[in-house]
Amino acid sequence: MGNTQPDEARAAALVDARALIAQARTAALATIDRQSIGPYVSLVAVTALPDCTPVLLLSDLARHTRNLAADRRASLLFCSDLAGAAPLAAARVTVIGFLESTKDPVAREVYLAHHPAAEEYAGFGDFQFYRLTPASAHFIGGFGRIIELAGDDLTGA
């Protein structure tokens, strides 16, 4: 994944990508569909831990969660606010990695602080918290501003 971008451009892209993730309330989740062996995309509510690790609350009954039971590979697409903007000029970042369920109380606390209405169903037996461990990210900051980032860059690991 050779990256020829100057350090300043990479640093600016990292700041912008982290901001998109930190501010997001929703994202598009792509999983490998266990029935068709192709991609399956759904809209999910999301938040991020202080290190920018995405956290989701998913039902075991959802198709994307059943897909994850067979293959933990996933990606999340975060977009800036598109109101009034040309869609392809908007900043966005796709984070690619592995989704794993977590019992981390911090993940629960941060998620519910960001999505208080989820408290109603967060305790249901078929709901679990998940965290995406980023392997890489693809940032687009508008036309011509495309930068590949390592997963560790996003989380500071």
Side-chain angles (χ1 to χ4, degrees), residues 17-71:
R18 289 179 58 89
L20 275 175
I21 295 166
Q23 295 166 9
R25 294 190 50 75
T26 60
L29 168 64
T31 57
I32 306 299
D33 191 70
R34 63 191 178 92
Q35 294 173 339
S36 68
I37 314 300
Y40 174 77
V41 180
S42 53
L43 181 67
V44 293
V46 66
T47 194
L49 296 175
D51 71 353
C52 217
T53 298
V55 174
L56 300 84
L57 176 60
L58 304 176
S59 169
D60 294 338
L61 305 175
R63 185 171 178 170
H64 49 239
T65 310
R66 292 191 316 260
N67 291 341
L68 290 167
D71 189 332

Side-chain angles (χ1 to χ4, degrees), residues 4-151:
T4 59
Q5 296 295 328
D7 288 343
E8 304 82 36
R10 290 182 53 68
L14 182 57
V15 167
D16 290 348
R18 289 179 58 89
L20 275 175
I21 295 166
Q23 295 166 9
R25 294 190 50 75
T26 60
L29 168 64
T31 57
I32 306 299
D33 191 70
R34 63 191 178 92
Q35 294 173 339
S36 68
I37 314 300
Y40 174 77
V41 180
S42 53
L43 181 67
V44 293
V46 66
T47 194
L49 296 175
D51 71 353
C52 217
T53 298
V55 174
L56 300 84
L57 176 60
L58 304 176
S59 169
D60 294 338
L61 305 175
R63 185 171 178 170
H64 49 239
T65 310
R66 292 191 316 260
N67 291 341
L68 290 167
D71 189 332
R72 293 285 178 203
R73 292 178 296 166
S75 63
L76 288 166
L77 171 63
F78 299 88
C79 293
S80 63
D81 184 6
L82 298 176
L88 296 181
R92 57 222 184 251
V93 61
T94 299
V95 182
I96 303 160
F98 299 90
L99 262 172
E100 301 273 324
S101 65
T102 180
K103 302 277 189 215
D104 179 7
V106 174
R108 177 187 177 85
E109 179 183 328
V110 169
Y111 186 92
L112 293 177
H114 203 74
H115 298 284
E119 184 78 51
E120 289 180 44
Y121 51 87
F124 290 0
D126 65 307
F127 278 85
Q128 297 181 63
F129 289 93
Y130 286 79
R131 63 189 300 149
L132 181 80
T133 301
S136 65
H138 184 80
F139 175 77
I140 301 173
F143 290 116
R145 186 174 175 225
I146 302 169
I147 297 179
E148 298 292 330
L149 300 166

